[in-house]
Structures are given as C-alpha cells and as structure tokens.
Amino acid sequence: MEYLPNIIFAILLIAGIGYFSSNVKKLIRNIKLGHKVDASDHKSERWKNVVNIALGQSKLVKRPVSGFLHAIVYVGFIIINIEVLEIIIDGLFGTHRIGQQVLPTSLYGFLIGSFEILAVLVLVSVTVFWIRRNVIKIKRFLSPEMKGWPKSDGNIILYFEVVLMCLFLVMNATDTIFQTAGSGNVISQFIAPWFEGFSEGTLHLIEKAAWWIHFVGILIFLNYLYFSKHLHILLAFPNVYYGKVEPKGKFNNLEAVTAEVKLMMDPDADPYAAPAETAEDEVPAKFGASDVMDLSQVQLLNAYTCTECGRCTSECPANLTGKKLSPRKIMMDTRDRLEEVGKNIDANNGEFKDDGKQLLGDYITNEELWACTTCNACVEACPVSIDPLSIIIEMRRYLVMEQSAAPMELNNMMTNIENNGAPWPYNQMDRLNWKDEK
Ligand code: SF4
Ligand code: SF4
C-alpha cells in the first residue's frame, strides 16, 4: 500500500506516453504516404532557419502584439515543463520536491521563482488571446473554415493553459514546506494567504490534489496535441527544417515537360532524338496531385504543422478580394483528408481501401485553385514556413495535365503557346508585323 501512489503514477505515465507514441507512429505513417523529398541540400541554411524561425519565432513577431504574447506562452510552456521533470521523479520515487533537496537553495528558488512569474505572464497572455478570439473577434479567426472544431480547439487549449498554470501556483501556495523555506515563492506567497485558517491536513490534501491534477493535465495535454492544431508545438521544428530554401518564386518544373518545351523552343533540336534520350521512367505515372498520396512528405508535414493562425489568408489577395480561396483552408483540408485516409488504412488492416473520395473536389474545389494569383504572399506570411501555394500548383497541374480542366482563357493561351510559341493567337511568321504598322 505504501507504494500504491507510485505504482498509479507509473501506470498513468506509461499509459500517457504509450498512447502518445502510438499516435506519433500514425502521424509518421501518414506523412510517409507522400512521396520522398531530397532535403540534403542547404544544410546550414536549414539549421539557421530552425534557430531563427522555429526557435527564435522571427516571423511571428512581425505582428508585434500577438508575436510577443505567443513568445511568452511559448517560453512559459518550455520552461515550466522543466518542472515536469521534478514531478516525474517525485511521482516515481515518492520524494517531495527533489529539486529542493539536491539543488542549492538559491538555484532552486531562482528556478521556481522564474516559473511562477512565467505562469502569471502566461495567464495574462492567454487571457488576451481569449479576448481577441471571443470578444474582439479578430477577422482572421472568423473565416468559414474556423467554425466548429477549429474554433473550439483554439479555445480549449487556452482553458488548458489557465488550468495548468493555476494548479501550479496553488500547488506551490499550499505547500507549507516550500512556503516556509521562503525561496522562489515570488507569486505563490501572495496566494498562500487565501488558504489561511485551513488545517495542515487540508492544505496537504489541496497541495496533493493540485499536484495530481497538474500531472494528469499534462498527460492529457500531451495526448490532446495529436487531435489539435497545437501539434505545431512539436512539428514546427522539422517543418521549418524541411521548408523551402530556394527563392519563393521558383517552381519545381517537371523534367519530362521541360524537355518537351525545350525541344519545342529549340529550332535546331532533333525532334526524334530527345524523347528517346529522356528515360521513360522520368515521366511520372500521374501529373500533379488529386489526392494526398500524390503530394510530397514535406507538403503533408506542412498540413499537420499548420497552426490555423490565418496569417496566410489575411494576406492573400484572392481572399481579400472576396474569392473563395483561403490558403489556411487548403492546409486544413489537406490535413483532414490525410487523417481520413489514415483512418481508412487503420480500418482496413494497413491497406488503403478506395473510398471514392479525394482531396480534389471533395475538399478543395477547382474554383479555389484557380483563384490563386501565385503571388506567394501566404508563404511569406506563414510563421512556420508552410507553403500552401505548392499544393495549389500541384493540384492545378493535375487539372491541366490529367484532365485538361483549365479555365478557357488558360486553355486558349496554352494552345497558342503550343501552336504559335507565344500566348497570342498569331502565327509566328506574323510576329514582326507590328513594325510595318503605320
Ligand atoms: S499564392 Fe495564392 S493562395 Fe497564396 S496568397 Fe497568393 S493568391 Fe493567395
Ligand atoms: S499555413 Fe501558416 S500562416 Fe497559414 S494558417 Fe497555417 S500556420 Fe498560419
């Protein structure tokens, strides 16, 4: 019986981490449904991006208010979780505040004192976030794609943060040993008087309850991540690493098509030699993407990393001029379809069974795809290096090359390029007629 709490603690810890690990495995399997991307280039630049963009949040602070508040929550989240280490050791070995016993008093006091200050700053930031979402109702949180679960998800995580921070402060305030030591209780010393008049036993009970709920809350939080946009807490780092390092306007041309175009443009080219030289296996089985399996692993990682912040959509000229396109929705749709495919695989013993659905049409419409101006504003605005445009381009590529389903204006232009070598409906021989015009 003496070890019962430790045993319960260990079981909860193993169950929590076990369930989280099984979801991480699913996540990796789903991402691997995409085709591989070679990211062995620009290593130093990639690491620099991780430090600046993911760790330093350099793009996030371009909007100072939300950037600053987010930075507090982020630092608070990371640092306060160091506290979890102490909780785990105490829980497993039955110690009480192991840090207080093994660290110098001043260092332990400094650490816990910093955590307490951060906890308050997090509470303030989270409250402002909640007000921005629910009272001020900032436009980018109100788009059609933000109804239902995405809206609730945004709020649930704020409530989570509030509960965890409050439990941490109450735990400290009701810990008589910690309060008597008087080091590090910079905030909790002002909460402790709320519990004046409580017996020693009641205080101990409240402290233990806060400790246990705090611990279980952390495990729930950990497992909640998989079902939430807050996966970005973990995925932002690999996502930024694998993000685009080439100039934003540079698209990945299809080798087979490029060879065809070069052949067409080169008057000296041997029309019979070139196709034979380009190996048959260079021609992809399918041009572009109509479903998530046609996308790259980086694009699928992008979809899971999206924070649903809407910065991309708020900068998108198509969206701003009332078109149906929202780059955030492109990412959310891709993730939702990928999850659907993942569940399909789970239900069919590891094999995907055709469900008659696909990303194109069932989630993303042609109208959305053709509304894009390919300006790259969404890519520039994204704080975690997501590239919604690359998905749009792949899906357009499918529409054009597999379905000939481009808008009429584009089809006319492409026919002209094919026939006349220029987008205009004039014969090549007539190109210089303008110079004879009077
Ligand atoms: S590239 Fe397309 S989706 Fe992105 S901001 Fe420009 S128009 Fe919008
Ligand atoms: S793609 Fe980037 S900018 Fe757009 S909602 Fe997702 S995280 Fe925010």
Side-chain angles (χ1 to χ4, degrees):
M1 274 310 263
E2 191 193 339
Y3 297 111
L4 189 62
N6 309 52
I7 294 167
I8 294 173
F9 184 92
I11 291 172
L12 286 175
L13 188 66
I14 291 167
I17 293 178
Y19 187 58
F20 176 69
S21 309
S22 75
N23 279 331
V24 168
K25 265 193 210 153
K26 269 188 207 167
L27 185 90
I28 294 171
R29 181 208 56 199
N30 290 355
I31 289 174
K32 282 188 170 171
L33 292 173
H35 56 81
K36 277 192 182 160
V37 175
D38 179 14
S40 57
D41 57 344
H42 300 89
K43 280 211 170 97
S44 60
E45 199 175 337
R46 289 180 187 282
W47 282 113
K48 215 163 86 191
N49 286 345
V50 171
V51 172
N52 288 340
I53 300 174
L55 204 63
Q57 314 213 336
S58 57
K59 287 178 99 177
L60 206 74
V61 291
K62 282 188 181 158
R63 293 192 185 189
V65 177
S66 57
F68 178 67
L69 295 171
H70 187 275
I72 290 176
V73 175
Y74 166 72
V75 174
F77 172 79
I78 291 179
I79 295 186
I80 287 173
N81 273 310
I82 297 173
E83 161 80 4
V84 177
L85 255 183
E86 185 180 53
I87 291 183
I88 290 175
I89 298 172
D90 284 349
L92 287 176
F93 301 104
T95 48
H96 179 77
R97 287 193 184 263
I98 185 75
Q100 203 173 24
Q101 294 163 35
V102 298
L103 294 175
T105 311
S106 55
L107 177 60
Y108 187 75
F110 171 76
L111 285 175
I112 300 292
S114 321
F115 299 167
E116 288 199 351
I117 292 169
L118 271 168
V120 173
L121 289 175
V122 168
L123 283 174
V124 173
S125 305
V126 161
T127 308
V128 177
F129 278 144
W130 188 86
I131 292 171
R132 281 160 56 90
R133 272 179 185 270
N134 300 288
V135 181
I136 303 173
K137 298 192 171 164
I138 288 180
K139 197 168 163 262
R140 69 187 154 105
F141 298 129
L142 299 178
S143 312
E145 70 264 22
M146 293 307 287
K147 302 227 157 61
W149 172 245
K151 183 171 190 270
S152 313
D153 182 29
N155 282 325
I156 287 171
I157 209 81
L158 297 180
Y159 302 140
F160 245 118
E161 296 268 3
V162 170
V163 171
L164 287 180
M165 295 304 131
C166 288
L167 285 167
F168 171 68
L169 291 172
V170 168
M171 190 175 92
N172 287 355
T174 51
D175 185 338
T176 44
I177 305 171
F178 175 67
Q179 288 301 323
T180 316
S183 172
N185 56 345
V186 280
I187 303 293
S188 57
Q189 62 178 303
F190 301 107
I191 303 172
W194 300 353
F195 299 94
E196 252 172 26
F198 284 56
S199 71
E200 189 82 1
T202 313
L203 277 180
H204 183 68
L205 204 68
I206 297 174
E207 189 240 327
K208 274 286 149 218
W211 187 93
W212 275 100
I213 301 170
H214 185 66
F215 165 65
V216 173
I218 289 167
L219 288 181
I220 295 174
F221 184 91
L222 180 72
N223 281 286
Y224 177 74
L225 290 183
Y226 178 75
F227 304 96
S228 157
K229 66 176 184 140
H230 292 86
L231 252 184
H232 74 267
I233 293 172
L234 307 172
L235 296 186
F237 296 91
N239 193 72
V240 168
Y241 181 86
Y242 289 109
K244 193 169 180 177
V245 280
E246 290 156 334
K248 284 196 179 62
K250 189 175 174 191
F251 295 128
N252 65 327
N253 291 327
L254 290 175
E255 285 303 317
V257 178
T258 308
E260 284 284 328
V261 173
K262 276 185 182 162
L263 181 69
M264 194 181 85
M265 307 292 279
D266 180 4
D268 301 325
D270 178 352
Y272 301 104
E277 280 167 16
T278 43
E280 235 181 59
D281 54 66
E282 275 183 27
V283 181
K286 182 181 189 178
F287 288 104
S290 62
D291 210 347
V292 285
M293 294 77 99
D294 308 324
L295 295 172
S296 76
Q297 293 180 1
V298 173
Q299 286 166 323
L300 300 185
L301 175 64
N302 277 187
Y304 273 127
T305 309
C306 179
T307 71
E308 297 174 11
C309 67
R311 288 176 185 226
C312 51
T313 299
S314 71
E315 303 276 335
C316 172
N319 188 276
L320 290 173
T321 49
K323 311 282 190 312
K324 222 180 145 199
L325 173 64
S326 161
R328 168 171 56 189
K329 178 178 172 290
I330 299 288
M331 300 318 300
M332 292 167 72
D333 284 344
T334 306
R335 182 198 55 209
D336 291 349
R337 172 61 183 157
L338 183 55
E339 270 297 290
E340 185 176 54
V341 168
K343 283 183 188 141
N344 180 315
I345 293 173
D346 287 336
N348 294 294
N349 302 320
E351 292 289 325
F352 176 67
K353 196 170 161 202
D354 189 5
D355 58 358
K357 287 165 104 180
Q358 60 173 7
L359 184 62
L360 179 66
D362 292 301
Y363 286 82
I364 299 172
T365 61
N366 294 16
E367 185 186 342
E368 289 167 80
L369 295 174
W370 291 115
C372 177
T373 66
T374 66
C375 68
N376 261 306
C378 53
V379 186
E380 179 61 34
C382 182
V384 285
S385 301
I386 287 171
D387 186 353
L389 175 57
S390 69
I391 296 180
I392 295 172
I393 293 287
E394 284 303 327
M395 295 181 79
R396 277 187 180 183
R397 194 169 263 167
Y398 174 84
L399 285 174
V400 172
M401 301 188 73
E402 296 280 345
Q403 299 201 319
S404 302
M408 200 213 297
E409 297 86 341
L410 275 178
N411 271 336
N412 287 343
M413 184 198 74
M414 287 185 288
T415 307
N416 287 332
I417 289 177
E418 198 174 336
N419 295 334
N420 307 327
W424 302 284
Y426 306 114
N427 191 300
Q428 292 200 36
M429 305 302 291
D430 296 335
R431 271 190 180 178
L432 294 178
N433 285 359
W434 60 271
K435 73 177 170 49
D436 300 327
E437 276 177 17
K438 301 239 163 50

